[in-house]
Amino acid sequence: MSGTRQGKTTGGTKAGAKKKKQQKKVILLIVEVLVLLILAVVAFVVMKLSRIEKDVTFTPENIEINEGLPEESVKIMEGYTTIALFGLDNRSNGKLSKGNSDVIMIASINNDTHDVKLVSVYRDSYLDIGGGAFKKCNSAYAAGGPEQAINMLNKNLDMDITDYVTVDFNAIVECVDLLGGVEVTVTDEEAVLMYGYMDEISKLTKKESEYLPGAGTYNMDGVQACAYARIRYTTGDDYKRTERQRTVLSAMIKKAQKSDLKTINSLLNEVFGDIKTSFSNTELISLAAKVFNYSLGETTGFPFSKNTKKLGSKGDCVIPCDLESNVIQLHTFLYADENYVPTETVKTNSAKIIGDTGFGQGDGY
C-alpha cells in the first residue's frame, strides 16, 4: 500500500516538473519573440533616422553661452529642452548648411509636462550676428552656418541652446499632402495673395493645386499651406507671416498626432531626407518616444515690442524696443522665469542697438 502511494507521488512529481519545464520554454519563447520585436522596432527607427543628415562638422565646443546668468535662471532652464529651428529655401544650392534662414524659431519643451512653446524670431531683427556685426539676424546662418546662428540666439537672448534642426521649408508641401491636408482659416486678402506663391511652388514641386475662392476655412493641400505660410505683404508684414508659419506648423503637429502608423511611416520617409540636425540617433529616439505626449501650447513672435527702420545698406530692419526688456519678457514666456536678470552681454547689445537706431524702450508697438 505504502509502496503504491510512493510510486504515485514520484510520478506526479515528474509530471509536474515536466509541465514546469514546458511552461519555462513557452515563457522563454515569448521573451525571445518580444526581444526580436523590440530589436526590429529599434532597427526600423534607426533605419529611418539614418536618412537624416547628421551634422558631423557641428562642434558643441564652439557654442557660446553668456556668462553671468543667475543661478536660479540656469536651474530653471535645465528643466527644459530648448531647440533652435531653422527653415531654409535651399533651391539654389541644395544644401542645408548655407543660406539665409527664412524661418527662425525657438522651441522650449518642458521636460516634466511635455508642454511645447514656440517663438518666431523675426528674420529682419537687428541683432549681433557675431563678432560685433549688427545686421539682420537671418544672415547669421549664411555667414557661419548653424553654429553661428545658435550663437547669435544665445548671445542676444541669453539662451543656452546647444542643438538645432534645419529643414528645407519647401518640404512642408510633401508633409501636408501626406497628412491629408491641414485645416486653416484665411481672409479674402490672403486667398488672393496666395496665387503668386502657389504658382511658384507648383512649378518647383511639380504639384498641381487650386486657388482658394475667397475667405473661409479650408483643408489645405501642401502647395496651398506652403503658399499661405509665405505670405508677407499684408497688414503686419513679416510679423503676420511668422504667425502664419506657426499656424501651419501647429496644424501639422496636431494632424500628425492623430495619424496612423502607415501615414507616420510615409511622413518619416519623405521628411527625414530634408532635415539636418546636431542630434544623435539616440537623442532623436528619446525625443521621438515622447512625441505623442507633447502638447503644443502658446506661440508668439520676438521681439514683442518693436519698430522698423531702414539702416543704410543693411536694409529695413526690425528694431527691438529695447532688447533688454524684450529678453526679460522672452524668458518669462518660455520658462515662466519671473526673476530673470539680463546678462551684461544683453545689456551691452541693447545699448548698442539704441545707439545705432535711436529706438529704445517705449518706442515700439
Side-chain angles (χ1 to χ4, degrees), residues 79-80 109-115:
Y80 293 78
I109 305 170
N110 187 307
N111 295 333
D112 293 325
T113 65
H114 304 304
D115 289 336

Side-chain angles (χ1 to χ4, degrees), residues 71-235:
E71 285 187 23
E72 184 180 348
S73 294
V74 172
K75 189 173 181 180
I76 289 173
M77 292 168 73
E78 287 174 351
Y80 293 78
T81 299
T82 307
I83 306 168
L85 309 175
F86 301 109
L88 304 186
D89 183 351
N90 66 346
R91 288 170 293 175
S92 60
N93 54 47
K95 298 178 180 178
L96 292 172
S97 57
K98 297 180 179 180
N100 290 334
S101 46
D102 285 346
V103 179
I104 305 172
M105 290 188 187
I106 299 172
S108 76
I109 305 170
N110 187 307
N111 295 333
D112 293 325
T113 65
H114 304 304
D115 289 336
V116 182
K117 289 186 177 180
L118 286 176
V119 174
S120 295
V121 179
Y122 302 126
R123 64 181 188 175
D124 292 339
S125 297
Y126 186 65
L127 299 171
D128 180 3
I129 70 162
F134 282 75
K135 299 179 180 179
K136 293 181 180 182
C137 67
N138 69 334
S139 61
Y141 202 107
E147 285 183 16
Q148 186 163 334
I150 291 174
N151 285 337
M152 177 273 296
L153 294 172
N154 286 345
K155 184 179 182 69
N156 292 281
L157 310 180
D158 271 347
M159 295 284 104
D160 64 348
I161 302 170
T162 56
D163 286 295
Y164 79 94
V165 176
T166 296
V167 300
D168 174 4
F169 195 58
N170 287 303
I172 192 175
V173 177
E174 290 291 347
C175 295
V176 171
D177 284 344
L178 288 169
L179 288 169
V182 292
E183 191 173 282
V184 179
T185 301
V186 300
T187 64
D188 280 321
E189 183 183 22
E190 289 171 332
V192 173
L193 287 171
M194 284 172 62
Y195 292 177
Y197 292 101
M198 288 179 64
D199 291 341
E200 179 188 7
I201 294 166
S202 291
K203 185 177 180 180
L204 286 167
T205 61
K206 306 293 190 267
K207 285 180 173 285
E208 295 184 359
S209 186
E210 294 182 0
Y211 298 141
L212 301 182
T217 300
Y218 300 91
N219 186 57
M220 291 188 178
D221 61 29
V223 171
Q224 293 166 339
C226 189
Y228 171 78
R230 289 197 150 175
I231 296 172
R232 186 174 183 180
Y233 302 103
T234 60
T235 302

Side-chain angles (χ1 to χ4, degrees), residues 296-312:
L296 185 61
E298 296 177 87
T299 70
T300 190
F302 180 92
F304 302 92
S305 176
K306 57 201 173 293
N307 214 316
T308 57
K309 187 172 185 177
K310 186 174 180 61
L311 299 173

Side-chain angles (χ1 to χ4, degrees), residues 280-291:
S280 66
N281 279 350
T282 302
E283 291 168 327
L284 286 171
I285 290 172
S286 176
L287 287 169
K290 306 166 191 168
V291 70

